[in-house]
Amino acid sequence: MKTYIVGNWKLNFNVGEASVYLHKLQKKIANYRDIEVVVAPTALCLQSLSLQLDRSKIKLGAQNAFYQDFGAFTGEISFAELNGLVKYCIVGHSERRYIFHEDDKMVAKKVAAAIRHKITPILCIGETESERAFGETADVIRDQLLGGLSEIGAEDVSKVIVAYEPVWAISSTKDAKIATPDEIAEVTEMIRKNLKEVYGAKTSEEVPVLFGGSVKPTNAGAYLTTPGINGLLIGGASLILEQFTDIIDIAKRVK
Ligand code: 13P
Protein backbone atom coordinates (compact mmCIF):
# COMPACT_ATOMS: atom_id res chain seq x y z
CA MET A 1 0.00 0.00 0.00
CA LYS A 2 1.13 3.55 -0.71
CA THR A 3 1.95 5.95 2.10
CA TYR A 4 -0.33 8.99 2.04
CA ILE A 5 1.01 12.40 3.03
CA VAL A 6 -1.93 14.79 2.91
CA GLY A 7 -1.72 18.51 3.65
CA ASN A 8 -4.99 20.02 4.81
CA TRP A 9 -4.47 23.75 4.36
CA LYS A 10 -7.81 24.59 6.02
CA LEU A 11 -8.71 28.29 5.60
CA ASN A 12 -5.16 29.43 4.78
CA PHE A 13 -3.39 30.65 1.62
CA ASN A 14 -5.15 32.79 -0.96
CA VAL A 15 -4.91 31.86 -4.66
CA GLY A 16 -1.57 33.64 -5.13
CA GLU A 17 0.02 32.20 -2.00
CA ALA A 18 -1.24 28.72 -2.81
CA SER A 19 0.21 28.92 -6.30
CA VAL A 20 3.63 30.07 -5.05
CA TYR A 21 3.68 27.29 -2.47
CA LEU A 22 2.72 24.66 -5.07
CA HIS A 23 5.54 25.73 -7.39
CA LYS A 24 8.09 25.55 -4.59
CA LEU A 25 6.81 22.17 -3.44
CA GLN A 26 6.92 20.76 -6.96
CA LYS A 27 10.52 21.92 -7.33
CA LYS A 28 11.56 20.32 -4.07
CA ILE A 29 10.07 16.87 -4.48
CA ALA A 30 10.42 14.14 -7.08
CA ASN A 31 7.92 11.58 -8.30
CA TYR A 32 7.85 9.16 -5.38
CA ARG A 33 5.75 6.32 -6.69
CA ASP A 34 5.07 4.74 -3.32
CA ILE A 35 4.19 8.01 -1.60
CA GLU A 36 0.98 9.81 -2.49
CA VAL A 37 1.49 13.50 -1.75
CA VAL A 38 -1.81 15.40 -1.61
CA VAL A 39 -2.58 19.03 -0.90
CA ALA A 40 -6.06 20.24 -0.02
CA PRO A 41 -6.36 24.01 -0.52
CA THR A 42 -9.51 26.09 -0.16
CA ALA A 43 -12.17 25.49 -2.81
CA LEU A 44 -11.38 28.82 -4.42
CA CYS A 45 -7.81 27.68 -5.22
CA LEU A 46 -8.67 24.33 -6.77
CA GLN A 47 -9.27 25.47 -10.33
CA SER A 48 -6.07 27.46 -10.67
CA LEU A 49 -3.91 24.91 -8.84
CA SER A 50 -5.25 22.13 -11.02
CA LEU A 51 -3.90 24.00 -14.08
CA GLN A 52 -0.44 24.29 -12.50
CA LEU A 53 -0.27 20.83 -10.99
CA ASP A 54 2.41 18.27 -11.81
CA ARG A 55 0.23 15.23 -11.23
CA SER A 56 3.22 12.88 -11.27
CA LYS A 57 4.27 14.44 -7.96
CA ILE A 58 1.22 15.87 -6.26
CA LYS A 59 -2.51 15.23 -6.22
CA LEU A 60 -5.24 17.69 -5.32
CA GLY A 61 -7.82 17.25 -2.61
CA ALA A 62 -10.85 19.31 -1.63
CA GLN A 63 -11.64 20.00 2.02
CA ASN A 64 -15.38 19.56 1.77
CA ALA A 65 -18.28 19.41 -0.69
CA PHE A 66 -22.05 18.99 -0.60
CA TYR A 67 -23.76 15.73 -1.48
CA GLN A 68 -26.35 17.09 -3.93
CA ASP A 69 -25.02 17.61 -7.46
CA PHE A 70 -26.82 20.92 -8.09
CA GLY A 71 -29.83 22.93 -6.97
CA ALA A 72 -30.90 25.50 -4.42
CA PHE A 73 -28.03 25.08 -1.95
CA THR A 74 -26.59 28.56 -1.57
CA GLY A 75 -22.91 28.65 -0.80
CA GLU A 76 -22.17 25.00 -1.52
CA ILE A 77 -20.02 23.28 -4.11
CA SER A 78 -20.74 19.73 -5.24
CA PHE A 79 -18.74 16.58 -5.81
CA ALA A 80 -20.10 16.73 -9.37
CA GLU A 81 -18.22 20.02 -9.84
CA LEU A 82 -15.09 18.60 -8.26
CA ASN A 83 -15.06 15.63 -10.59
CA GLY A 84 -11.98 15.93 -12.81
CA LEU A 85 -10.50 18.63 -10.59
CA VAL A 86 -9.52 16.65 -7.50
CA LYS A 87 -8.63 13.06 -6.73
CA TYR A 88 -9.52 13.28 -3.04
CA CYS A 89 -11.94 15.06 -0.75
CA ILE A 90 -11.76 15.30 3.03
CA VAL A 91 -15.17 14.43 4.48
CA GLY A 92 -16.43 14.82 8.03
CA HIS A 93 -13.46 16.70 9.41
CA SER A 94 -14.02 17.48 13.08
CA GLU A 95 -14.09 21.20 12.24
CA ARG A 96 -17.03 20.47 9.91
CA ARG A 97 -18.69 18.34 12.56
CA TYR A 98 -18.31 20.75 15.48
CA ILE A 99 -18.33 24.20 13.85
CA PHE A 100 -20.76 23.44 11.01
CA HIS A 101 -22.81 20.78 12.81
CA GLU A 102 -22.37 17.96 10.30
CA ASP A 103 -23.65 14.68 11.67
CA ASP A 104 -22.92 11.09 10.61
CA LYS A 105 -25.93 11.09 8.27
CA MET A 106 -24.66 14.11 6.38
CA VAL A 107 -21.13 12.69 6.36
CA ALA A 108 -22.42 9.38 4.99
CA LYS A 109 -24.20 11.15 2.12
CA LYS A 110 -21.02 13.03 1.31
CA VAL A 111 -18.96 9.83 1.30
CA ALA A 112 -21.49 8.30 -1.11
CA ALA A 113 -21.51 11.38 -3.35
CA ALA A 114 -17.70 11.36 -3.50
CA ILE A 115 -17.65 7.71 -4.57
CA ARG A 116 -20.40 8.37 -7.12
CA HIS A 117 -18.20 11.03 -8.70
CA LYS A 118 -15.01 8.95 -8.56
CA ILE A 119 -13.40 11.03 -5.85
CA THR A 120 -11.71 9.24 -2.96
CA PRO A 121 -13.26 10.39 0.31
CA ILE A 122 -10.92 10.82 3.26
CA LEU A 123 -13.39 10.08 6.04
CA CYS A 124 -12.27 11.76 9.27
CA ILE A 125 -13.25 10.27 12.60
CA GLY A 126 -12.10 10.90 16.14
CA GLU A 127 -13.18 11.41 19.70
CA THR A 128 -13.19 14.64 21.68
CA GLU A 129 -11.25 15.09 24.88
CA SER A 130 -14.30 14.53 27.08
CA GLU A 131 -15.45 11.49 25.11
CA ARG A 132 -12.01 9.98 25.73
CA ALA A 133 -12.15 10.93 29.42
CA PHE A 134 -15.53 9.21 29.79
CA GLY A 135 -14.29 6.03 28.12
CA GLU A 136 -16.43 6.54 25.01
CA THR A 137 -13.68 6.39 22.40
CA ALA A 138 -14.54 2.93 21.07
CA ASP A 139 -18.23 3.84 20.66
CA VAL A 140 -17.48 7.15 18.95
CA ILE A 141 -15.05 5.49 16.56
CA ARG A 142 -17.54 2.76 15.72
CA ASP A 143 -20.44 5.18 15.24
CA GLN A 144 -18.52 7.66 13.12
CA LEU A 145 -16.85 4.94 11.04
CA LEU A 146 -19.84 2.72 10.33
CA GLY A 147 -22.17 5.73 10.23
CA GLY A 148 -19.95 7.42 7.67
CA LEU A 149 -19.91 4.30 5.49
CA SER A 150 -23.62 3.61 5.80
CA GLU A 151 -24.70 5.09 2.46
CA ILE A 152 -22.29 3.08 0.31
CA GLY A 153 -22.30 -0.58 -0.64
CA ALA A 154 -19.80 -3.04 0.82
CA GLU A 155 -18.06 -3.23 -2.55
CA ASP A 156 -17.17 0.48 -2.31
CA VAL A 157 -15.73 0.51 1.21
CA SER A 158 -12.20 -0.21 -0.01
CA LYS A 159 -12.41 3.02 -2.07
CA VAL A 160 -12.51 5.05 1.15
CA ILE A 161 -9.55 6.33 3.16
CA VAL A 162 -10.14 6.66 6.89
CA ALA A 163 -8.32 9.34 8.87
CA TYR A 164 -8.16 9.02 12.64
CA GLU A 165 -7.98 12.53 14.04
CA PRO A 166 -8.52 12.70 17.79
CA VAL A 167 -10.11 16.12 18.25
CA TRP A 168 -8.06 16.77 21.40
CA ALA A 169 -4.79 16.32 19.50
CA ILE A 170 -5.54 18.78 16.67
CA SER A 171 -3.53 22.03 16.61
CA SER A 172 -2.06 21.15 19.96
CA THR A 173 0.65 23.20 21.56
CA LYS A 174 0.96 21.12 24.73
CA ASP A 175 2.87 17.83 24.88
CA ALA A 176 0.12 16.27 26.98
CA LYS A 177 -2.27 16.76 24.09
CA ILE A 178 -0.17 14.98 21.52
CA ALA A 179 -1.38 11.46 20.75
CA THR A 180 1.14 8.73 21.49
CA PRO A 181 1.80 5.93 18.99
CA ASP A 182 0.27 3.49 21.51
CA GLU A 183 -2.96 5.47 21.72
CA ILE A 184 -3.11 5.64 17.93
CA ALA A 185 -2.37 1.94 17.49
CA GLU A 186 -5.20 1.10 19.87
CA VAL A 187 -7.73 3.10 17.85
CA THR A 188 -6.37 1.86 14.52
CA GLU A 189 -7.01 -1.64 15.77
CA MET A 190 -10.59 -0.68 16.66
CA ILE A 191 -11.08 0.73 13.17
CA ARG A 192 -9.85 -2.42 11.46
CA LYS A 193 -11.79 -4.65 13.86
CA ASN A 194 -15.03 -2.81 13.02
CA LEU A 195 -14.29 -2.97 9.32
CA LYS A 196 -13.51 -6.66 9.59
CA GLU A 197 -16.71 -7.46 11.49
CA VAL A 198 -18.94 -5.68 9.01
CA TYR A 199 -17.09 -5.93 5.68
CA GLY A 200 -14.67 -8.82 6.10
CA ALA A 201 -10.95 -9.28 6.56
CA LYS A 202 -9.92 -8.39 3.01
CA THR A 203 -11.67 -5.01 3.02
CA SER A 204 -10.38 -4.18 6.49
CA GLU A 205 -6.82 -4.63 5.24
CA GLU A 206 -7.41 -2.67 2.04
CA VAL A 207 -8.68 0.54 3.65
CA PRO A 208 -5.80 2.95 4.28
CA VAL A 209 -5.86 4.51 7.73
CA LEU A 210 -4.18 7.87 8.21
CA PHE A 211 -3.39 9.71 11.40
CA GLY A 212 -3.85 13.44 11.94
CA GLY A 213 -3.35 15.75 14.90
CA SER A 214 -0.33 18.00 15.42
CA VAL A 215 1.88 15.99 13.11
CA LYS A 216 5.34 17.57 12.85
CA PRO A 217 8.69 16.44 11.43
CA THR A 218 9.65 15.56 15.01
CA ASN A 219 6.87 12.99 15.49
CA ALA A 220 6.11 11.95 11.88
CA GLY A 221 8.56 9.04 11.97
CA ALA A 222 6.99 7.55 15.09
CA TYR A 223 3.48 7.96 13.69
CA LEU A 224 4.37 6.50 10.30
CA THR A 225 5.80 3.40 11.96
CA THR A 226 2.78 2.97 14.23
CA PRO A 227 1.12 -0.37 13.49
CA GLY A 228 -1.82 -0.02 11.11
CA ILE A 229 -1.02 3.53 10.00
CA ASN A 230 -0.67 4.16 6.25
CA GLY A 231 -0.10 7.89 6.19
CA LEU A 232 -0.64 11.31 7.73
CA LEU A 233 -3.18 14.11 7.49
CA ILE A 234 -1.34 17.28 8.35
CA GLY A 235 -2.72 20.72 9.17
CA GLY A 236 -0.37 23.39 10.54
CA ALA A 237 2.91 21.75 9.48
CA SER A 238 1.68 21.39 5.88
CA LEU A 239 1.61 25.19 5.57
CA ILE A 240 5.34 25.41 6.19
CA LEU A 241 7.13 24.13 3.11
CA GLU A 242 10.25 22.95 4.96
CA GLN A 243 8.21 20.99 7.48
CA PHE A 244 5.97 19.42 4.85
CA THR A 245 8.91 18.33 2.69
CA ASP A 246 10.75 17.07 5.79
CA ILE A 247 7.73 14.88 6.56
CA ILE A 248 7.69 13.60 2.96
CA ASP A 249 11.41 12.77 3.33
CA ILE A 250 10.71 10.91 6.58
CA ALA A 251 7.93 8.95 4.85
CA LYS A 252 10.40 7.97 2.13
CA ARG A 253 12.96 6.86 4.70
CA VAL A 254 10.63 4.74 6.82
CA LYS A 255 8.94 3.14 3.78
P1 13P B 1 -2.92 20.06 12.82
O1 13P B 1 -1.85 19.23 12.11
O2 13P B 1 -2.73 21.53 12.65
O3 13P B 1 -3.09 19.62 14.22
O4 13P B 1 -4.30 19.73 12.07
C1 13P B 1 -4.68 18.43 11.94
C2 13P B 1 -5.87 18.37 11.06
O5 13P B 1 -6.95 18.74 11.49
C3 13P B 1 -5.69 17.89 9.69
O6 13P B 1 -6.90 17.64 9.07
mmCIF file of all heavy atoms in Angstrom, residues 30 34 43 73 89 100 104 127 133 144 172-173 227 253:
data_model
loop_
_atom_site.group_PDB
_atom_site.id
_atom_site.type_symbol
_atom_site.label_atom_id
_atom_site.label_comp_id
_atom_site.label_asym_id
_atom_site.label_seq_id
_atom_site.Cartn_x
_atom_site.Cartn_y
_atom_site.Cartn_z
ATOM 1 N N ALA A 30 10.392 14.899 -5.832
ATOM 2 C CA ALA A 30 10.423 14.137 -7.078
ATOM 3 C C ALA A 30 9.131 13.333 -7.192
ATOM 4 O O ALA A 30 8.210 13.524 -6.393
ATOM 5 C CB ALA A 30 11.634 13.223 -7.068
ATOM 6 N N ASP A 34 5.742 5.414 -4.432
ATOM 7 C CA ASP A 34 5.070 4.738 -3.316
ATOM 8 C C ASP A 34 4.585 5.712 -2.245
ATOM 9 O O ASP A 34 4.097 5.306 -1.194
ATOM 10 C CB ASP A 34 5.961 3.648 -2.708
ATOM 11 C CG ASP A 34 7.346 4.167 -2.392
ATOM 12 O OD1 ASP A 34 7.611 5.366 -2.663
ATOM 13 O OD2 ASP A 34 8.157 3.401 -1.868
ATOM 14 N N ALA A 43 -11.461 25.776 -1.556
ATOM 15 C CA ALA A 43 -12.173 25.488 -2.807
ATOM 16 C C ALA A 43 -11.843 26.505 -3.897
ATOM 17 O O ALA A 43 -11.752 26.166 -5.080
ATOM 18 C CB ALA A 43 -13.681 25.456 -2.541
ATOM 19 N N PHE A 73 -28.858 25.311 -3.141
ATOM 20 C CA PHE A 73 -28.028 25.081 -1.946
ATOM 21 C C PHE A 73 -26.976 26.187 -1.873
ATOM 22 O O PHE A 73 -25.793 25.972 -2.153
ATOM 23 C CB PHE A 73 -27.384 23.692 -2.006
ATOM 24 C CG PHE A 73 -28.389 22.591 -2.195
ATOM 25 C CD1 PHE A 73 -28.540 21.972 -3.414
ATOM 26 C CD2 PHE A 73 -29.229 22.222 -1.143
ATOM 27 C CE1 PHE A 73 -29.500 20.988 -3.603
ATOM 28 C CE2 PHE A 73 -30.199 21.238 -1.324
ATOM 29 C CZ PHE A 73 -30.337 20.622 -2.556
ATOM 30 N N CYS A 89 -11.219 14.030 -1.495
ATOM 31 C CA CYS A 89 -11.942 15.063 -0.748
ATOM 32 C C CYS A 89 -12.025 14.649 0.723
ATOM 33 O O CYS A 89 -12.405 13.517 1.031
ATOM 34 C CB CYS A 89 -13.354 15.272 -1.303
ATOM 35 S SG CYS A 89 -14.235 16.606 -0.459
ATOM 36 N N PHE A 100 -19.662 23.351 11.990
ATOM 37 C CA PHE A 100 -20.756 23.443 11.007
ATOM 38 C C PHE A 100 -21.845 22.377 11.213
ATOM 39 O O PHE A 100 -22.694 22.186 10.347
ATOM 40 C CB PHE A 100 -20.173 23.378 9.586
ATOM 41 C CG PHE A 100 -19.197 24.496 9.332
ATOM 42 C CD1 PHE A 100 -17.822 24.282 9.397
ATOM 43 C CD2 PHE A 100 -19.645 25.785 9.072
ATOM 44 C CE1 PHE A 100 -16.928 25.320 9.199
ATOM 45 C CE2 PHE A 100 -18.747 26.828 8.866
ATOM 46 C CZ PHE A 100 -17.387 26.601 8.943
ATOM 47 N N ASP A 104 -23.335 12.286 11.359
ATOM 48 C CA ASP A 104 -22.920 11.094 10.612
ATOM 49 C C ASP A 104 -23.773 10.869 9.362
ATOM 50 O O ASP A 104 -23.286 10.354 8.363
ATOM 51 C CB ASP A 104 -22.981 9.848 11.520
ATOM 52 C CG ASP A 104 -21.857 9.867 12.553
ATOM 53 O OD1 ASP A 104 -20.790 10.452 12.280
ATOM 54 O OD2 ASP A 104 -22.046 9.300 13.649
ATOM 55 N N GLU A 127 -12.465 11.047 18.484
ATOM 56 C CA GLU A 127 -13.184 11.407 19.696
ATOM 57 C C GLU A 127 -12.692 12.753 20.242
ATOM 58 O O GLU A 127 -11.568 13.162 19.999
ATOM 59 C CB GLU A 127 -13.005 10.311 20.765
ATOM 60 C CG GLU A 127 -11.685 10.335 21.527
ATOM 61 C CD GLU A 127 -10.483 9.860 20.717
ATOM 62 O OE1 GLU A 127 -10.628 9.545 19.525
ATOM 63 O OE2 GLU A 127 -9.362 9.842 21.290
ATOM 64 N N ALA A 133 -12.179 10.964 27.947
ATOM 65 C CA ALA A 133 -12.147 10.929 29.418
ATOM 66 C C ALA A 133 -13.262 10.051 29.986
ATOM 67 O O ALA A 133 -13.088 9.395 31.004
ATOM 68 C CB ALA A 133 -12.248 12.354 29.957
ATOM 69 N N GLN A 144 -18.926 6.755 14.202
ATOM 70 C CA GLN A 144 -18.519 7.657 13.116
ATOM 71 C C GLN A 144 -18.029 6.867 11.895
ATOM 72 O O GLN A 144 -18.282 7.254 10.758
ATOM 73 C CB GLN A 144 -17.432 8.618 13.598
ATOM 74 C CG GLN A 144 -17.963 9.642 14.603
ATOM 75 C CD GLN A 144 -16.940 10.705 14.973
ATOM 76 O OE1 GLN A 144 -15.789 10.655 14.567
ATOM 77 N NE2 GLN A 144 -17.370 11.669 15.764
ATOM 78 N N SER A 172 -2.446 21.157 18.550
ATOM 79 C CA SER A 172 -2.061 21.149 19.955
ATOM 80 C C SER A 172 -0.719 21.829 20.162
ATOM 81 O O SER A 172 0.193 21.668 19.372
ATOM 82 C CB SER A 172 -1.983 19.700 20.420
ATOM 83 O OG SER A 172 -1.890 19.666 21.789
ATOM 84 N N THR A 173 -0.633 22.574 21.254
ATOM 85 C CA THR A 173 0.650 23.199 21.563
ATOM 86 C C THR A 173 1.248 22.578 22.823
ATOM 87 O O THR A 173 2.374 22.843 23.180
ATOM 88 C CB THR A 173 0.492 24.720 21.779
ATOM 89 O OG1 THR A 173 -0.606 24.921 22.657
ATOM 90 C CG2 THR A 173 0.232 25.446 20.479
ATOM 91 N N PRO A 227 1.826 0.730 14.157
ATOM 92 C CA PRO A 227 1.123 -0.372 13.485
ATOM 93 C C PRO A 227 -0.241 0.060 12.945
ATOM 94 O O PRO A 227 -1.010 0.706 13.654
ATOM 95 C CB PRO A 227 0.947 -1.406 14.609
ATOM 96 C CG PRO A 227 2.021 -1.101 15.586
ATOM 97 C CD PRO A 227 2.264 0.377 15.510
ATOM 98 N N ARG A 253 11.957 7.604 3.936
ATOM 99 C CA ARG A 253 12.961 6.858 4.700
ATOM 100 C C ARG A 253 12.368 5.659 5.427
ATOM 101 O O ARG A 253 12.959 4.597 5.454
ATOM 102 C CB ARG A 253 13.632 7.782 5.729
ATOM 103 C CG ARG A 253 15.119 7.984 5.418
ATOM 104 C CD ARG A 253 15.766 8.902 6.417
ATOM 105 N NE ARG A 253 15.393 10.292 6.206
ATOM 106 C CZ ARG A 253 15.087 11.143 7.163
ATOM 107 N NH1 ARG A 253 15.087 10.780 8.423
ATOM 108 N NH2 ARG A 253 14.795 12.398 6.875
#
